[in-house]
Amino acid sequence: MRPSRLCSLIVPLILAACAATPPPPPPPPLSATTATGSINTRALRDWRGIVRSVDRDRYARRDAAWQLALEQARRQTGSGDLRSLGDLIDPDAARRDVTPPVGAYRCRTVKLGSQGGEQGLGYVVYDWFACRIEATPRGLKFSKTTGSQRPSGLLFPEDDRKMVMLGSLALAAEPPANSYGQRPERDLVAVLERIGEARWRLVIPWPQSESNLDLIELVPA
């Protein structure tokens, strides 16, 4: 058979085969949750590309915040029962599987240490308020919804024992807190850790005022 005749038979077969092959499906959208409700971390940017230098420094010096705050809390007078808090005030209490389920939580704040030195209270244990963890298009979000100090922010996966929160603080009758970076004087960086079967804490090193370390305890409502 002549080469030209052979080509005229092969080329149509190749074109038909290509036309019969469907194009590959588009990649899935970068949603915050999958069909099973688990977190799709591809929707989250790395918090290190967002954090301000002053908050990066707070995060890096969180061990020093623990040390100073606990030393003050144990030496100075305070408000509430410090000895009843157990693992909440143990710097090494973090467990694996940190990611909290979405839903409503009871939460209370414990302030350790005093930025006023010997003049302030060494610790303050507050009553329980309402908080929530919700799934958003950008990832998990924590919000404290009642009380006079109401932090909120996005939770960024860091490793199996901690998530990093970049957030902001609303006070008194103000509306919910702005996103991180909009009001630098209200910005905060925190570490979320699981410290029990259904118990978490947010560790806020070097808060903007009052204490040297804030802890927010979370248990499902």
Side-chain angles (χ1 to χ4, degrees):
M1 182 178 293
R2 290 182 301 170
S4 59
R5 175 61 177 168
L6 181 62
C7 290
S8 65
L9 293 175
I10 292 175
V11 170
L13 292 175
I14 294 175
L15 294 176
C18 292
T21 303
L30 298 183
S31 60
T33 58
T34 66
T36 62
S38 60
I39 298 302
N40 182 349
T41 56
R42 293 188 304 156
L44 295 170
R45 293 176 292 170
D46 185 353
W47 65 272
R48 290 174 178 82
I50 303 171
V51 67
R52 298 187 304 125
S53 60
V54 63
D55 293 319
R56 185 189 297 270
D57 179 66
R58 288 187 175 104
Y59 175 83
R61 295 188 300 113
R62 62 191 185 280
D63 288 346
W66 269 111
Q67 181 177 353
L68 175 60
L70 284 175
E71 190 275 331
Q72 289 179 311
R74 290 163 178 160
R75 187 183 73 250
Q76 298 171 210
T77 59
S79 173
D81 187 356
L82 191 68
R83 291 177 296 180
S84 69
L85 300 178
D87 286 347
L88 182 63
I89 58 172
D90 178 358
D92 301 316
R95 303 186 183 188
R96 295 186 181 278
D97 302 320
V98 61
T99 306
V102 170
Y105 288 78
R106 298 171 62 236
C107 60
R108 63 174 171 174
T109 300
V110 176
K111 291 181 174 288
L112 299 177
S114 170
Q115 293 185 18
E118 300 296 325
Q119 305 304 315
L121 292 174
Y123 62 91
V124 180
V125 180
Y126 287 90
D127 290 331
W128 292 92
F129 290 92
C131 293
R132 68 172 178 265
I133 301 287
E134 59 186 313
T136 77
R138 294 186 294 168
L140 285 182
K141 180 181 179 181
F142 163 83
S143 300
K144 185 171 181 283
T145 57
T146 60
S148 60
Q149 298 185 13
R150 301 180 306 284
S152 68
L154 286 177
L155 294 164
F156 295 78
E158 181 69 0
D159 58 40
D160 195 37
R161 292 180 182 267
K162 64 179 178 288
M163 302 180 80
V164 175
M165 186 180 90
L166 296 181
S168 187
L169 182 67
L171 299 175
E174 293 176 349
N178 292 318
S179 299
Y180 178 83
Q182 294 188 15
R183 296 185 65 181
E185 74 279 7
R186 297 287 183 85
D187 282 348
L188 58 89
V189 60
V191 175
L192 180 73
E193 298 172 328
R194 188 172 73 89
I195 57 171
E197 191 64 30
R199 190 185 186 200
W200 288 261
R201 70 182 177 196
L202 273 168
V203 181
I204 306 174
W206 311 112
Q208 302 263 18
S209 62
E210 300 178 337
S211 53
N212 288 315
L213 186 81
D214 284 355
L215 303 171
I216 300 178
E217 180 179 8
L218 294 134
V219 294

